[in-house]
Amino acid sequence: MRYILLLIFTSICLLAEVAKVSAVVGDATILRDAKSIIVKIGTLVEEKDIIQTKKNSKVQLIFNDNTIVTLGKNSALNINEYIYDTKNPKNSNTDFNFFKGAFKTITGKIGKINKEKFKLRTKTAAIGIRGTVIIGNQNVVACLVGGLAVQGAGKTVN
């Protein structure tokens, strides 16, 4: 019985992981359930986590679908929603809120198989993925490969 409970607990914990920290320079934290976690290489990231970098810091995350997100200095990312369903890829969904600073994103499998459900948000815009490499901050968004749709100030630009 003890082993069954351990297996169930381990499975639940594994399902909560959505990304892993692959690189960190300087000081960064994850806010999770009113706790502050110091970011290190290998730190596991969960849905609803808020990742914050400080002055002269950078963090790179690799998500379960191989999406890569890099946060620049004095930046913050809220993982509003992240579902990667390998059995039914059309159920996959990404909703990231970059509410402070600068970022770079290289989309993984969700951005390729379910583009309409891969959303990036900033203070001034909501970005729908139509490509694979995006950089931006709170004022400017650029797509380096592919295309995107940006909504802001009541307008949509493709």
Side-chain angles (χ1 to χ4, degrees), residues 3-158:
Y3 294 109
I4 293 172
L5 291 174
L6 181 61
L7 180 62
I8 291 169
F9 179 74
T10 303
S11 298
I12 290 169
C13 289
L14 289 174
L15 291 175
E17 172 196 331
V18 299
K20 184 185 275 190
V21 175
S22 60
V24 61
V25 174
D27 297 321
T29 56
I30 294 174
L31 299 177
R32 179 185 301 151
D33 300 326
K35 296 178 187 173
S36 183
I37 301 165
I38 295 172
V39 173
K40 299 176 185 171
I41 292 175
T43 299
L44 300 179
V45 179
E46 299 178 5
E47 187 178 55
K48 307 296 182 197
D49 280 356
I50 297 174
I51 299 92
Q52 297 179 313
T53 60
K54 303 203 175 168
K55 183 179 177 183
N56 298 322
S57 299
K58 293 181 186 179
V59 170
Q60 185 176 69
L61 309 170
I62 299 179
F63 284 80
N64 294 341
D65 73 322
N66 291 320
T67 291
I68 300 171
V69 172
T70 305
L71 292 174
K73 66 180 180 178
N74 294 319
S75 296
L77 163 65
N78 182 355
I79 303 170
N80 291 328
E81 185 173 19
Y82 180 87
I83 300 167
Y84 179 48
D85 187 341
T86 56
K87 292 180 182 171
N88 190 352
K90 288 294 181 184
N91 289 335
S92 297
N93 188 36
T94 302
D95 185 356
F96 295 150
N97 181 11
F98 296 95
F99 62 91
K100 180 181 173 188
F103 64 91
K104 178 180 178 182
T105 302
I106 302 172
T107 58
K109 293 177 184 170
I110 296 174
K112 292 173 178 63
I113 59 175
N114 210 4
K115 294 177 186 178
E116 62 279 355
K117 289 193 176 181
F118 196 107
K119 300 284 187 220
L120 306 176
R121 301 177 195 283
T122 69
K123 284 183 181 179
T124 57
I127 305 156
I129 298 300
R130 305 291 181 267
T132 58
V133 181
I134 297 163
I135 59 173
N137 61 28
Q138 300 307 301
N139 300 311
V140 178
V141 175
C143 183
L144 303 178
V145 175
L148 52 84
V150 179
Q151 290 181 316
K155 296 180 183 177
T156 300
V157 178
N158 289 313

